[in-house]
Amino acid sequence: MADLDGIRSDLGAEHDALDAIVSGLSDDAWDVPTPAEPWSVRDQISHLAFFDELATAAATSADDFMAGMADAAQDVDAFMNGPLDKGRAMRPAEVLDWWRTARADMIKSFEGLDPAVRIPWYGPPMSPASFMTARLMETWAHGQDVVDGLGIARPPTLRLRHVAHIGVRARPFSYSTRGLDLPAEQVRVDLSGPGGERWTWNEDATQRISGGALDFCLVVTQRRHVDDTALTMDGPLAREWMAIAQAYAGPPGTGRAPGQFSKRSARA
């Protein structure tokens, strides 16, 4: 059984780590562009605040959330741009307070959830464990956009295992969102964590992806093109998957262009 308290704690820690980066920024730095053009640092945090609020609604009032989702489908562009416009009308300190309140409410709403309940979202409903893991993945991925925009590094943590896990689980979605048939054959994923830990999925598969967990997480969240990593792909299905991998809900993302970032070393 999934350790819901552990996942919730890690989710809070991921938020806190990003908070420690943005809380010390000058006001001007909040408007630095990130690789997710045309989004700035401010836009990244506004996006997280908005969807943390929606996550609270999904966890506490599924009917209200579903009604809101139906309304959003009428004008997806307005739905996605609304929180950006809201954040751009705020001072950076106000955006930070908005995000802090939204994420605190969200994490509080996850306390004591029935592990068997299904939480609605923009895709198939999820268990609490999967839902919290997805929020952690989103926070980590948008945090990567922030640090890339600012030109700073952040150390990888054991929380990457959550991101890697949802990346592996999202392989069928990576195909379906592009209208492709999922191959019947599995692909083994063999990763090294930041402290040398070995994390493996689908151990019996003959085709394989191997390398650093950070590289794998950057690819499945579309924050790096696979060519800019040191991942090794053995077999055509491994290469095919990494070319289309997408761990987050929604239509196919454009990802990053090859050569946009310096190629990572095999030791990273």
Side-chain angles (χ1 to χ4, degrees):
M1 181 178 294
D3 177 10
L4 297 186
D5 288 340
I7 300 172
R8 190 165 64 89
S9 177
D10 283 349
L11 174 59
E14 194 62 46
H15 278 88
D16 290 344
L18 180 54
D19 190 300
I21 292 171
V22 299
S23 61
L25 296 178
S26 67
D27 284 3
D28 287 345
W30 279 77
D31 292 316
V32 167
T34 70
E37 297 178 355
W39 286 17
S40 64
V41 171
R42 175 197 301 268
D43 294 334
Q44 298 286 348
I45 301 303
S46 299
H47 175 87
L48 286 174
F50 178 69
F51 278 94
D52 285 350
E53 288 179 334
L54 289 178
T56 301
T60 59
S61 180
D63 289 343
D64 289 345
F65 173 80
M66 293 298 292
M69 187 165 65
D71 290 341
Q74 302 302 311
D75 191 337
V76 176
D77 287 341
F79 173 70
M80 294 299 294
N81 290 328
L84 307 186
D85 293 339
K86 177 179 177 179
R88 290 167 185 169
M90 292 177 164
R91 294 182 293 109
E94 293 173 327
V95 177
L96 184 57
D97 285 344
W98 173 26
W99 179 46
R100 285 173 172 171
T101 299
R103 76 188 201 231
D105 290 344
M106 176 185 68
I107 292 171
K108 178 69 175 176
S109 75
F110 294 154
E111 289 183 1
L113 285 176
D114 180 351
V117 75
R118 308 299 290 183
I119 301 174
W121 199 239
Y122 302 95
M126 291 182 279
S127 69
S130 294
F131 192 75
M132 287 190 285
T133 300
R135 293 311 304 150
L136 190 155
M137 177 270 296
E138 281 276 321
T139 305
W140 180 84
H142 288 286
Q144 186 65 45
D145 291 333
V146 168
V147 297
D148 284 340
L150 295 171
I152 62 176
R154 61 174 177 176
T157 73
L158 292 175
R159 295 189 297 274
L160 284 177
R161 195 182 193 288
H162 296 296
V163 182
H165 181 70
I166 203 168
V168 173
R169 293 285 301 273
R171 181 176 175 239
F173 175 76
S174 301
Y175 281 82
S176 66
T177 195
R178 288 164 175 78
L180 302 173
D181 292 331
L182 175 68
E185 187 176 346
Q186 291 277 17
V187 175
R188 174 176 173 143
V189 178
D190 196 350
L191 305 177
S192 57
E197 303 83 3
R198 185 184 179 194
W199 300 334
T200 303
W201 292 262
N202 306 324
E203 292 189 16
D204 294 334
T206 57
Q207 300 194 44
R208 184 175 74 155
I209 297 164
S210 58
L214 177 57
D215 273 349
F216 182 79
C217 292
L218 288 168
V219 172
V220 298
T221 59
Q222 297 192 352
R223 266 55 189 183
R224 293 291 186 277
H225 192 279
V226 67
D227 289 352
D228 291 342
T229 74
L231 289 177
T232 298
M233 292 158 285
D234 299 317
L237 293 184
R239 290 189 291 272
E240 179 181 77
W241 176 22
M242 288 297 93
I244 63 171
Q246 180 170 324
Y248 56 88
T254 56
R256 303 288 179 261
Q260 187 172 352
F261 295 89
S262 298
K263 186 176 179 67
R264 296 176 53 79
S265 72
R267 297 178 57 190

